[in-house]
Amino acid sequence: MTAPPPAFTKPVVTDTPPDSLIPYDEIVQEALRAVVGRVLGQVEHSGLLPGEHHFYITFKTTAPGVDIPSHLIARFPDEMTIVLQNKFWDLKVHGDAFEVGLSFNAIPSKLYVPFSAIARFIDPAVNFELQFQVQGENDDPATHHAAGNDARAAEPVEDGSNVVAVDFKRKK
């Protein structure tokens, strides 16, 4: 005589995901910010942007560690987008930040931006975009000020291809 099959219990499905003891969202954010650092590091090392590549970098102007001139904070009190294309100098990439010289209304300025302050990184030449959650960010990530530095204006392509959006807002 064979034993009856074990009783099957259907798993309970809830709308609330279990709390993770592993900070996956922080790990992924850190890894994707490392992509930005590596790309900027290659530009720093070569001294120029390859081909048609250029970058739109949106960052929170009042995030911890950001160091920009006060007139830029007054003009962009929440966030701003810079363009690294034709008119930038002294790009230096550090383990957790980058610094660059840019001109705003013909006034040269030096910016220091931690990678943790970056909300968006776009390379329109290849339709590549990364979006990040910035610590303490409560704003709609699509809302940002236009690029403020003196550079040739080109609008990023927003058709959704090659876009990596990382949004780890949890329901609690």
Side-chain angles (χ1 to χ4, degrees):
M1 177 168 188
T2 60
F8 177 75
T9 56
K10 189 174 181 179
V12 177
V13 179
T14 64
D15 289 336
T16 306
D19 286 335
S20 175
L21 301 177
I22 300 171
Y24 288 111
D25 51 350
E26 293 172 22
I27 293 168
V28 171
Q29 292 277 317
E30 184 178 316
L32 290 174
R33 283 191 167 96
V35 170
V36 175
R38 185 170 174 181
V39 169
L40 292 177
Q42 288 179 350
V43 172
E44 174 192 23
H45 180 71
S46 70
L48 55 98
L49 289 161
E52 297 296 315
H53 290 276
H54 57 288
F55 311 126
Y56 287 78
I57 303 172
T58 301
F59 64 95
K60 294 291 188 176
T61 56
T62 58
V66 171
D67 186 12
I68 62 175
S70 58
H71 72 276
L72 293 177
I73 293 174
R75 186 171 163 196
F76 304 101
D78 181 42
E79 67 180 28
M80 69 183 291
T81 300
I82 58 172
V83 178
L84 300 187
Q85 186 172 15
N86 298 323
K87 297 179 181 181
F88 69 93
W89 59 92
D90 294 337
L91 176 64
K92 292 185 179 80
V93 180
H94 309 284
D96 61 349
F98 73 96
E99 57 185 289
V100 67
L102 292 168
S103 180
F104 297 86
N105 295 328
I107 301 170
S109 301
K110 192 78 163 176
L111 287 72
Y112 183 91
V113 180
F115 294 126
S116 61
I118 296 175
R120 187 182 230 170
F121 176 87
I122 301 171
D123 182 347
V126 292
N127 197 24
F128 180 79
E129 177 177 351
L130 293 172
Q131 292 183 20
F132 301 100
Q133 219 27 57
V134 178
Q135 187 71 16
E137 178 183 357
N138 292 323
D139 302 325
D140 176 8
T143 304
H144 67 281
H145 296 285
N149 58 301
D150 300 338
R152 190 176 88 208
E155 289 300 313
V157 179
E158 305 245 356
D159 68 353
S161 60
N162 292 331
V163 173
V164 178
V166 181
D167 186 4
F168 292 103
K169 293 181 182 172
R170 275 193 209 170
K171 295 178 184 176
K172 295 226 177 186

